[in-house]
Amino acid sequence: MFRATLIAFSFVCASAAIAETRVPQSQAEISLGFAPVVKEASPAVVNIYAKIVRQGRSNPFFSDPFFQDFFGGGFAEPRPRVQNSLGSGVILSADGYVVSNYHVVGTATEIRVVTTDRREYSAQVVLGDKESDIAILRLEGAEDLPFLQLRDSDHVEVGELALAIGNPFGVGQTVSSGIISGLARTGAATGNARGYFIQTDAAINPGNSGGALIDVNGDLIGINTAILTRSGGSNGIGFAIPANLVAEFLRQAQQGNESFVSPWAGMAGQHMSADIAESLGLVIPLGVVISDLHPLSPLAEAGLRVGDVVTHVDGDEVNSPAEMKFRMSVAGVGGTSVVTRLRGDENAEVEVALIKAPDHPAAEETTLDDQTVMPGLTISRINPAVIARMGLVLSQTGVVVVDAGRYGGRSGLRVGDVVNSINGARIETPGDVADALTDPGRRLTLDIVRGGRSVSLRFRL
């Protein structure tokens, strides 16, 4: 039995008024097929060629002075490797803003964009987010470019005709047709618990990443980003990032943001299963059960509490934490959202402020120097902003490893480890770590929390 494998691809979204759609009325209209739509939309879909420099795998002996001396300095670090990445993108504005997938261009050192009329542009990533797998590029010296209108993806319906345009396998721009197969795909359906996707059976293959998913009016409804496959090719289950989220990325990029700012809910939620619904007296499993709230959460400030069920955000039904995050991200930081919550038999609508994750108390991010036994170790005090950035549990406090560095990594530390104590001394701030590692003696014991489990690292210096 084959195992379903998730292959990443990119995609784009759009929001525009939906024109009237109808079935072909004559043989002439049937013979045209999608040709007029493709002719209008395809110039706004580009090919992207990116160079990514990857560091070769390091051997732990390379940095050991004993082996360097023993082998007379010939024990060199591996050379970096240059990897070429092929993908697609969609032009969103006449002055050269282009959307693609983060996995295509997010770590690239050189990006070249080629249009359908063979013009080439150098490009820079102006805004990218690995978690959302979206990157906004700006083409250098571009003007008067063709671009796609963004459609309001909340109005997309299952069964609509859809076209996928991209550059699969590097063969050149290719168009495939299908329908919208599903909406609000999250979790196990996509292999990405944090994603929120439109599903299509239009053929998507490697190289389609960042390409356009359009409707019959030529408006952008999504950016092709992933497929479920047993063979590595299209099996008719592809996923696209909705246009409404792309629109928010474009807005922030045009405002000059260098990183994507998403509203912070400060909550942990659980998908409503049939068993949970029955225990709460619900006939239909609907909504997200709040399982934890940070004391500074805007939801807590609005009166929600653990055990409440969130059923809608701004009138749109939500059934997973990823769906809640999507709805709030589309609304953007600085405004408010109306959250519908169920508590027992009581339904209520509450207004929730859309805020950035608070960066207090101060993170005090610190990189240890040569006066300590772990130079290069970078640690930070845990606050809501650090929790959101590093995916820590809401109740976590203390100090977290941001970068283990050479010596910390050799000692067994990893990014995301929470340091509780060093040689029995309790750790509460980055300064405590620096003090404890300045002159720890001949033995060192690090008590940490990793993935919710307590781990003790012991070694002799």
Side-chain angles (χ1 to χ4, degrees), residues 179-205:
I179 64 170
I180 302 299
S181 308
L183 302 172
R185 296 303 195 203
T186 61
T190 63
N192 182 352
R194 300 187 179 190
Y196 179 88
F197 302 99
I198 294 170
Q199 182 182 334
T200 181
D201 67 350
I204 298 172
N205 288 291

Side-chain angles (χ1 to χ4, degrees), residues 362-368 377-381 386 389-390 400 402-403 430:
E364 300 176 9
E365 186 170 304
T366 302
T367 299
L368 302 188
L377 174 67
T378 302
I379 65 272
S380 174
R381 178 185 287 185
V386 173
R389 187 176 82 244
M390 304 195 68
V400 65
V402 177
D403 186 342

